[in-house]
């Protein structure tokens, strides 16, 4: 029984080729949602923004401005959830716009770019 070694690695696609070919549908892009969420949370600093909004909302509520405080708390929670929910799309958007991000996400396994057969 001779088993041929299989190469499971995905060939690297240069950024310029990716940027030009993505809108034309030349690539199949796979974003790992497990790795995309922490990457996007770190990149956008959404935790700091959300925490700030929630703290300001709580301070407003304690100061007697309940409706304004509630709005800020809701915005803080909503921003955090929205960014986490859209992490895959945001990774693709950032990678398409910036070569450094593209190199980082493809090297670390957050995003995989494969050429379409044909």
């Amino acid at each position: 029984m001779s088993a041929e070694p299989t190469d499971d690695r995905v060939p690297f696609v240069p950024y310029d080729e990716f940027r030009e070919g993505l809108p034309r549908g030349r690539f199949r892009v796979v974003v790992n949602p497990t790795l995309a969420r922490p990457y996007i949370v770190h990149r956008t600093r959404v935790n700091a923004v959300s925490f700030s909004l929630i703290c300001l909302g709580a301070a407003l509520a304690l100061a007697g401005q309940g409706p304004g405080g509630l709005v800020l708390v809701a915005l803080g929670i909503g921003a955090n959830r929205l960014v986490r929910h859209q992490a895959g799309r945001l990774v693709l958007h950032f990678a398409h716009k910036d070569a450094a991000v593209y190199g980082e996400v493809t090297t670390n396994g957050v995003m995989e770019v494969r050429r379409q057969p044909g």
Side-chain angles (χ1 to χ4, degrees):
M1 288 190 166
S2 66
E4 292 182 25
T6 59
D7 190 9
D8 292 336
R9 293 181 295 156
V10 177
F12 182 74
V13 176
Y15 174 70
D16 293 331
E17 185 181 345
F18 169 74
R19 186 168 180 186
E20 291 175 11
L22 185 65
R24 295 183 177 110
R26 293 184 182 157
F27 301 107
R28 180 173 180 262
V29 178
V30 178
V31 178
N32 184 340
T34 307
L35 297 175
R37 284 187 186 105
Y39 177 78
I40 288 298
V41 165
H42 174 73
R43 177 116 178 120
T44 60
R45 296 174 179 84
V46 72
N47 281 344
V49 172
S50 296
F51 184 72
S52 299
L53 286 172
I54 291 169
C55 287
L56 284 173
L60 274 177
L62 290 173
Q65 301 293 325
L70 184 60
V71 167
L72 285 178
V73 169
L75 282 174
I77 293 170
N80 196 328
R81 288 186 180 199
L82 181 65
V83 168
R84 288 176 187 268
H85 181 70
Q86 298 292 327
R89 291 181 184 184
L90 290 170
V91 164
L92 183 59
H93 174 75
F94 289 151
H96 186 254
K97 299 294 180 192
D98 188 5
V101 173
Y102 175 75
E104 188 176 349
V105 296
T106 55
T107 304
N108 294 326
V110 177
M111 184 174 80
E112 211 174 79
V113 180
R114 298 179 183 211
R115 289 182 176 86
Q116 289 282 18

